Amino acid sequence: MRRLVQRHRIRLIGFVAAVSLAAAGSITAATPPAEAVSAAATASVSVEAGRTLASIPATGVGMNVAVYDGNMNHPSVPGLLKDAGVGMVRYPGGGYADGYHWQTHTVEGGYVAPNTGFDAFMATVRATGAQPIITADYGSGTPEEAAGWVRYANVTKGYGVKYWEIGNEVYGNGLYGASWETDHHSSKTATTYATNLVQYATAMKAVDPTIKIGAVLTTPGAWPDGITGPGDTTDWNHTVLSIAGSKIDFVIVHHYPIGNSQADLLGKPQAEIPGMAATLRSLINQYAGSNAPNVGIAVTEANANAYKDTSPNGLFAPDEYLTWMENGAFTLDWWNLHNGTDCSHVTTVEGATDYDDGGILSSGASCQPPLNTPFPPYYGARMITKLGAPGDRLVRAASSTSLVSAHAVRRANGDVSVLLINKDPADDATVTLSYSGFTPSSATPTVYSYRKNATSIGSATTGSATRQTVPAYSIVVVQLRNG
């Protein structure tokens, strides 16, 4: 088994001096030189318009927010999220969730910013047109506390909150030797978590039987997957699902791939996600019984480990979102809306400043552009809105080279759009496209592009249905009419 270093998210700093850094750190990677690449890159992309992989979920493009972020409900946020196609927002914020008490709006050992309470959060979610996903406090809470939150949210307030996670990265409670997650239970085993998970599900669904409950799993292939902890008879995933598999509605993993270089990072979605998703589906089928087809996969945290605010992560974001969706995930929630930086690890990546900030928007720290300035991952996610809309079908698209990623959508009206990512930092790519199950119009297509280090998405009528030029380190969406 490949043992990966555990990733901790950087918590927001710079808004107030009182924010503690103890709960989160980050792997800080030096920026290596870009790999040498050949000039005049070419690629062939084939689109099988009749081969559906999945439908775009309304909740597919998700975002994390955290109660330590005093700007999570800034007036500009709903519009920015809506423009990026965000359909799910996760609250109250990663590891903070296992110390967060919703009734008092406090976090054990942590800072809670003003105007970040549950009702304020729900106002932002509703203004965005998104759905919430709530992480109930497993580490320091009780099933009764979680059931009370369901009652307040869905009975008292009528918010209709559908998705509820039970805890954050609970396997980080010390069972496997690493302790970053709050867990006050006397037993830290997977058996204990699963037994308590059933109690949470029972109490919460007694209040609202329509809600969906999610179980925390370890990410397949990532530490501590495959390790049997003391007090258990098998590893975390098999233990949790063998006890609670028939009581849950979705499983939860986090994906923070370790990219040892820019090219390595950009290859991770295709290299890792299909195998991870297949393993999760196999586990669900093994333990969820007749309900297995209804049990979903949620990736409630994801981001890169480096190049967070610059072009590599801008290219990584849509590839990460779409590859998980194509492999059956109903949401991927990016970490984070605002994350913050202490400005001590500022580097230059591909000619742009990287602040080592995991936020999709600037936190407005002293070394950064103004608050809410979008970083490249924001534009990368927004390019998905040019590819398709919820309900459109993701269809198979295959590229002849790893330097060009391809994703395609068959829209409800029969039109097809193709998203192309050129991972070559130096050279444009000439892409030849072919289609089965679809005959494109002879009209010149509309093409949207997000170019290297750009601060907006451009559009033009250019190229043809069978040939497009994709600039170096850019994302292009080709919108094609049905002929």
Side-chain angles (χ1 to χ4, degrees):
M1 186 197 75
R2 183 165 61 103
R3 185 182 178 96
L4 298 182
V5 178
Q6 169 63 28
R7 281 80 54 191
H8 298 274
R9 266 65 60 213
I10 304 174
R11 303 305 184 196
L12 188 68
I13 57 179
F15 285 139
V16 293
V19 177
S20 170
L21 295 180
S26 174
I27 293 173
T28 302
T31 303
E35 284 73 6
V37 292
S38 60
T42 61
S44 298
V45 169
S46 59
V47 176
E48 298 180 55
R51 185 173 173 183
T52 300
L53 304 176
S55 293
I56 298 178
T59 53
V61 176
M63 188 64 55
N64 273 273
V65 297
V67 293
Y68 53 76
D69 173 11
N71 288 301
M72 63 175 273
N73 298 307
H74 187 279
S76 298
V77 164
L80 286 163
L81 294 182
K82 183 179 293 186
D83 287 347
V86 171
M88 179 163 275
V89 188
R90 182 177 183 242
Y91 176 93
Y96 260 47
D98 278 316
Y100 179 74
H101 299 286
W102 71 272
Q103 291 162 308
T104 58
H105 189 45
T106 57
V107 171
E108 296 187 13
Y111 168 77
V112 173
N115 191 38
T116 60
F118 178 60
D119 289 318
F121 160 75
M122 283 303 306
T124 294
V125 171
R126 287 184 153 189
T128 301
Q131 293 188 50
I133 181 168
I134 304 299
T135 310
D137 180 359
Y138 173 80
S140 64
T142 65
E144 292 72 28
E145 181 183 35
W149 201 349
V150 174
R151 183 175 296 104
Y152 178 78
N154 292 356
V155 179
T156 303
K157 301 295 289 190
Y159 289 144
V161 178
K162 183 177 182 180
Y163 296 98
W164 298 80
E165 299 178 274
I166 309 305
N168 185 54
E169 296 166 351
V170 183
Y171 47 81
N173 61 5
L175 177 64
Y176 300 103
S179 301
W180 69 85
E181 199 73 17
T182 299
D183 186 355
H184 295 332
H185 296 89
S186 57
S187 170
K188 315 295 186 195
T189 65
T191 301
T192 298
Y193 170 69
T195 302
N196 289 330
L197 170 62
V198 172
Q199 295 176 13
Y200 271 77
T202 301
M204 295 165 75
K205 287 193 172 187
V207 176
D208 183 351
T210 69
I211 66 171
K212 294 187 179 295
I213 297 294
V216 172
L217 298 188
T218 62
T219 304
W223 185 91
D225 182 47
I227 301 173
T228 299
D232 292 319
T233 58
T234 187
D235 66 10
W236 183 277
N237 289 355
H238 285 86
T239 300
V240 169
L241 290 178
S242 67
I243 295 170
S246 63
K247 305 295 184 182
I248 62 170
D249 303 289
F250 61 100
V251 298
I252 301 150
V253 294
H254 294 169
H255 191 217
Y256 291 92
I258 303 292
N260 297 313
S261 67
Q262 293 169 206
D264 187 35
L265 171 67
L266 294 178
K268 292 299 184 181
Q270 284 73 40
E272 295 186 351
I273 294 169
M276 290 175 173
T279 298
L280 292 170
R281 183 51 57 189
S282 177
L283 286 165
I284 292 166
N285 290 340
Q286 181 177 355
Y287 291 111
S290 61
N291 193 45
N294 302 317
V295 176
I297 297 172
V299 186
T300 58
E301 289 184 22
N303 203 330
N305 71 304
Y307 328 116
K308 300 183 184 79
D309 315 310
T310 42
S311 51
N313 210 13
L315 304 184
F316 171 78
D319 224 4
E320 178 80 357
Y321 273 114
L322 289 166
T323 306
W324 272 111
M325 284 188 238
E326 289 164 351
N327 283 275
F330 70 84
T331 190
L332 182 142
D333 306 324
W334 193 263
W335 187 274
N336 199 9
L337 178 66
H338 304 110
N339 203 59
T341 178
D342 61 6
C343 298
S344 66
H345 298 288
V346 176
T347 57
T348 300
V349 178
E350 293 297 332
T353 303
D354 195 294
Y355 308 97
D356 194 37
D357 183 337
I360 209 164
L361 303 175
S362 170
S363 64
S366 60
C367 59
Q368 290 187 331
L371 174 68
N372 290 329
T373 299
F375 290 135
Y378 173 86
Y379 293 110
R382 188 169 175 177
M383 285 294 285
I384 298 172
T385 68
K386 309 302 182 185
L387 178 68
D392 290 342
R393 292 183 290 125
L394 289 157
V395 298
R396 179 172 168 77
S399 173
S400 62
T401 172
S402 60
L403 278 176
V404 174
S405 282
H407 303 274
V409 159
R410 188 73 181 259
R411 293 177 179 263
N413 64 0
D415 292 346
V416 165
S417 294
V418 184
L419 184 145
L420 303 168
I421 303 170
N422 181 2
K423 304 173 189 178
D424 188 326
D427 295 307
D428 297 353
T430 300
V431 179
T432 302
L433 298 111
S434 61
Y435 308 89
S436 62
F438 172 72
T439 302
S441 164
S442 60
T444 304
T446 299
V447 177
Y448 290 88
S449 61
Y450 177 64
R451 293 175 177 252
K452 181 178 178 180
N453 299 336
T455 56
S456 63
I457 293 171
S459 65
T461 304
T462 187
S464 70
T466 58
R467 187 179 179 88
Q468 288 288 330
T469 298
V470 184
Y473 249 37
S474 76
I475 309 163
V476 159
V477 171
V478 186
Q479 294 184 345
L480 303 159
R481 298 283 186 178
N482 193 347

